[in-house]
Amino acid sequence: MIEEWENFKNGFWGRNSKLIEYLDRECLEHKEKWACAYTNNIFHIGNTSTNRVESAHSTLKAWLNTSTGGIDTLFLSWHASIGRQVIEIRKELETCRTKTFKGAYGPPYGVIRGSVSLYALELMFVEGKKTPSECYCVIGRTHGLPCSCRINSFKGAGDHFQITHLAPFWSTLDYANPHDARRFEDNDANDLQIFHDLVAEVCRRGPSAVRAAKVALMSQLYPEEEGLREPRVSTKAKGRPPKRENARDPSWHEEKSNNLR
């Protein structure tokens, strides 16, 4: 990229040198903040501009209503604005979890469906349509989601993604803690160790935890042996039976009428 810029600059310098100087001073000096070659290695969840910050400032100004208020009213308005936004964001997350995404049935999305945001499933579905030659594993570093080659690998093996294969942000909205984006590219190397740690923790918690874990594992490994049986089919036909066993005795009037016939 730098070589291409140098070639462009050498060919364009005579016509507009001030523009080249401005770009060198204002843009290339901070290329790590906007060039994809650098931003594709940062966990940014798609936030590559200041649009969200400007939107937050606009919302805050709407809550303040005036620029001459006291510090007490400013703090209360600011606190109310942030609290309202947090409530709306969490409400949207819970709402989208209840929605159904057509491409999320079966492997590899069946387990995480309903546990992560709908937007994460849509990104993974679009990423899964790419061919191996089009996959540069960028989405694993920038969004903390499985890339195309990993999705196709799981799909071909019939495996399901677990919640640990995705960045915690997509299920908890927590991005305050720093994330090592590289660890989302391949978690299989640590899965066995994590499983052994979980087994040890379950054994430490006593028989009730062991029993619950056993039931969960049995239902996952042997779904056909869960004890579910087909309901018993009733052989009794609907309607009035042909012969009533509890029929009453005929009355005197009925007996008299039968004798006269």
Side-chain angles (χ1 to χ4, degrees):
M1 182 181 70
I2 300 298
E3 293 178 0
E4 293 178 356
W5 168 249
E6 291 295 335
N7 295 333
F8 172 78
K9 185 168 61 172
N10 293 334
F12 199 71
W13 182 267
R15 286 178 286 176
N16 200 333
S17 58
K18 291 184 179 180
L19 175 61
I20 299 297
E21 292 176 357
Y22 173 81
L23 293 177
D24 268 334
R25 184 179 66 255
E26 299 295 335
C27 297
L28 290 184
E29 188 71 22
H30 309 283
K31 58 184 178 296
E32 294 83 2
K33 298 181 179 180
W34 59 268
C36 293
Y38 299 96
T39 58
N40 282 346
N41 296 310
I42 301 174
F43 182 76
H44 55 66
I45 327 175
N47 295 320
T48 56
S49 66
T50 60
N51 292 344
R52 292 183 180 273
V53 177
E54 294 170 0
S55 176
H57 287 172
S58 176
T59 304
L60 178 59
K61 290 177 181 178
W63 274 81
L64 294 179
N65 292 326
T66 178
S67 60
T68 58
I71 188 64
D72 54 342
T73 57
L74 170 64
F75 176 78
L76 292 176
S77 298
W78 191 8
H79 188 272
S81 173
I82 294 176
R84 183 169 177 267
Q85 291 182 48
V86 170
I87 292 173
E88 289 180 354
I89 292 172
R90 295 197 175 276
K91 177 185 174 183
E92 290 178 2
L93 174 63
E94 296 302 327
T95 301
C96 75
R97 280 175 175 171
T98 61
K99 295 181 180 179
T100 303
F101 181 58
K102 273 196 234 178
Y105 288 101
Y109 312 106
V111 175
I112 61 175
R113 184 169 55 90
S115 300
V116 300
S117 69
L118 189 65
Y119 181 60
L121 293 176
E122 292 175 351
L123 288 177
M124 292 176 62
F125 184 74
V126 173
E127 185 72 13
K129 290 184 176 181
K130 294 181 180 178
T131 61
S133 60
E134 297 174 336
C135 180
Y136 299 99
C137 301
V138 174
I139 197 170
R141 298 188 294 270
T142 59
H143 292 73
L145 296 173
C147 62
S148 175
C149 54
R150 187 169 173 79
I151 293 173
N152 291 324
S153 174
F154 270 66
K155 192 181 297 183
D159 294 334
H160 289 268
F161 284 115
Q162 304 297 326
I163 196 69
T164 54
H165 290 114
L166 281 69
F169 170 80
W170 300 109
S171 56
T172 63
L173 295 179
D174 179 19
Y175 59 89
N177 298 323
H179 299 287
D180 182 6
R182 291 174 296 179
R183 74 184 181 89
F184 297 116
E185 296 178 6
D186 190 2
N187 287 336
D188 291 340
N190 299 325
D191 282 349
L192 187 59
Q193 182 60 41
I194 293 173
F195 179 75
H196 286 312
D197 295 341
L198 289 174
V199 171
E201 178 65 24
V202 169
C203 294
R204 281 195 296 268
R205 295 198 178 189
S208 60
V210 172
R211 194 175 300 111
K214 183 194 73 171
V215 172
L217 286 175
M218 291 290 290
S219 63
Q220 181 72 20
L221 297 176
Y222 309 105
E224 69 279 359
E225 299 179 6
E226 284 187 350
L228 300 177
R229 299 179 180 177
E230 292 291 335
R232 185 174 61 86
V233 179
S234 176
T235 57
K236 293 183 178 180
K238 293 183 178 181
R240 185 174 181 178
K243 182 180 179 181
R244 296 186 60 186
E245 298 178 355
N246 58 348
R248 62 178 177 82
D249 295 334
S251 64
W252 179 88
H253 177 73
E254 292 172 340
E255 285 282 358
K256 198 72 173 173
S257 298
N258 292 334
N259 294 333
L260 294 175
R261 287 178 182 176

